[in-house]
């Protein structure tokens, strides 16, 4: 089948590549000329494990190509995916300007029946808006379908190729048949395609992300209670996670959720609630708690250093919002770095993939180091912001010889507290007992 994907961000590239991998011919369209030039030269603009191999194979086999020209890109396409940004607008609601612009461009250039699919995360009612926008100038019949995407960065290819489920919102039998055919290879792997109406599909995406953000936030609050009561959040996590009604995943306490999705989607759902005059109290609390959680370790550092971090040097391990990505959107590390600089501290950082993106933001106000050990050389303490595997089993001898004093603030609970006590570190983590290094 011939498919067009409009927008070549994370979602567009993964969607386009994976549909090419299942035998379709895919043309990806983007207005960013430099990006399209790179893509045409087989240069992958994002770091996503496993995607490059599929990307190169499908380009070589002639199933994946790129253009900046929308009309050329959608020629003969039975399905057009919209994988466009929906950033927060000034009031926190999802900004639909990119989607509606492409919808209005599509109207006059559709040449036969086409299924237009919202892959972006969009508020309830967007499929209707997109339909109305296209209908203004369309001369042929078309359907607008909601097909939210649930991939996680870092494991996006697996999430797309072996999804827990595919959600498709449509009230058109004709569109349903087209989508059924497209997702047939995925169903064959035993994953359900769940058909529903457009509005329910749109809300499903926000409900999923907000529920997961709430689950994490709940554990962060339990962690805060553990610290006050002398319990251990890792034990509590194991204790509740083995209850199949609760489940083991997304129960890891830390320095708050970040990334390009949870923060904006929780905010957008809260805004949607406001618009229909519903007071979604839970979401407001989730956002407040998460905000406080992000810089929690700085408060502990301030207490440890008798109120002042001025003149101290801190090594930071991890900048990306999570491992296996170079994405720094809403990464807790950024807020911590800003705060440390504002308090007069010096900062040395290392991340396996995200350094270039952070250089654009901080320039030479912080020191970018060649590896994790260089980042702690001469530092007063280490802050751990992202749980990259390379940080899980460091050479502690080397670490203690490089650090000025053996102090670690760990936002990801990477080390066993007893082991840290045995090694003589002063060790602060989340929801577990402090180790005083004596
Ligand atoms: N990133 C994720 O992990 C993820 C996962 C699931 C859903 N989503 C949702 O998917 C959507 C896209 O997210 P993303 O992270 O891929 O976005 P992104 O910002 O990384 O990329 C969007 C792309 O769209 C292009 N674009 C903008 N206007 C255009 C136009 N008129 N024509 C063609 N291209 C245009 C931009 O140049 C950019 O390359 C968002 O709604 C997001 O919430 C994201
Ligand atoms: O137990 C956990 C799990 C995650 N996180 C944090 O939560 C954030 C989001 O993590 P994750 O969900 O793995 O990353 P994303 O790539 O942002 O994926 C989320 O957002 C995407 C965009 O909407 C959805 O498609 C995915 O299903 C959804 O998991 C990160 O800051 C993580 O550090 C925790 O703090 N504790």
């Amino acid at each position: 089948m011939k498919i067009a994907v409009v927008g070549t961000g994370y979602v567009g590239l993964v969607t386009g590549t994976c549909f090419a991998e299942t035998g379709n011919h895919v043309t990806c369209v983007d207005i960013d000329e430099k990006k399209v030039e790179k893509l045409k030269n087989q240069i992958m603009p994002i770091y996503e494990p496993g995607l490059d191999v599929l990307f190169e194979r499908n380009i070589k086999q002639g199933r994946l190509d790129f253009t900046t020209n929308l009309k050329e890109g959608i020629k003969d396409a039975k399905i057009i995916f919209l994988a466009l940004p929906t950033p927060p607008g000034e009031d926190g609601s999802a900004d639909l300007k990119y989607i509606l612009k492409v919808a209005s461009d599509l109207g006059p250039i559709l040449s036969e029946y086409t299924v237009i699919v919202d892959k972006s995360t969009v508020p309830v009612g967007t499929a209707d808006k997109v339909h109305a926008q296209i209908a203004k100038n369309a001369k042929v019949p078309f359907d607008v379908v909601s097909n939210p995407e649930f991939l996680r960065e870092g494991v996006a290819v697996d999430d797309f190729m072996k999804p827990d489920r595919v959600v498709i919102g449509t009230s058109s039998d004709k569109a349903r048949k087209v989508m059924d055919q497209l997702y047939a290879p995925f169903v064959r792997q035993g994953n359900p395609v769940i058909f529903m109406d457009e509005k329910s599909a749109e809300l499903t995406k926000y409900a999923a992300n907000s529920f997961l953000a709430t689950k994490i936030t709940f554990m962060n609050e339990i962690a805060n209670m553990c610290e006050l009561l002398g319990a251990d959040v890792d034990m509590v996590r194991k204790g509740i996670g083995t209850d199949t009604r609760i489940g083991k995943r997304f129960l890891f306490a830390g320095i708050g959720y970040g990334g390009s999705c949870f923060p904006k989607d929780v905010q957008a759902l809260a805004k949607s609630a406001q618009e229909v005059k519903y007071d979604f109290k839970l979401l407001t609390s989730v956002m407040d708690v998460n905000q406080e959680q992000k810089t929690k370790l700085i408060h502990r550092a301030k207490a440890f250093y008798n109120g002042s971090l001025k003149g101290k040097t801190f090594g930071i391990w991890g900048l990306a919002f999570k491992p296996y990505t170079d994405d720094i959107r809403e990464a807790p590390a950024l807020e911590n770095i800003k705060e440390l600089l504002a308090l007069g501290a010096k900062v040395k950082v290392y991340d396996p993939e995200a350094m270039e993106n952070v250089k654009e933001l901080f320039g030479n106000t912080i020191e970018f180091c060649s590896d994790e050990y260089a980042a702690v050389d001469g530092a007063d303490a280490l802050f751990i912001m992202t749980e990259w595997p390379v940080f899980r089993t460091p050479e502690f001898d080397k670490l203690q010889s490089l650090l000025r004093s053996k102090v670690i603030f760990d936002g990801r609970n990477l080390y066993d507290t007893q082991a840290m006590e045995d090694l003589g570190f002063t060790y602060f983590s989340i929801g577990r007992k402090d180790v005083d290094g004596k």
Side-chain angles (χ1 to χ4, degrees), residues 9-11 30 35 84 86 102 120-121 149 153 264 329:
Y10 253 98
V11 173
D30 206 293
K35 200 185 222 183
L84 294 155
T86 49
V102 172
S120 300
T121 302
E149 180 48 54
E153 292 182 16
K264 95 171 160 56
R329 291 180 278 186

Side-chain angles (χ1 to χ4, degrees), residues 298 309-314 316 333-349 358 361-368:
I298 300 220
L309 302 185
K310 200 162 185 203
K312 300 270 180 235
T313 299
F314 295 107
I316 296 205
L334 304 185
E335 213 148 315
N336 280 280
I337 293 172
K338 277 187 203 143
E339 185 92 14
L340 288 172
L341 293 177
L343 292 167
K346 286 195 185 123
V347 173
K348 301 171 69 161
V349 302
V358 173
L361 287 181
F362 287 95
N364 58 8
T365 58
I366 60 178
E367 188 182 334
F368 291 90

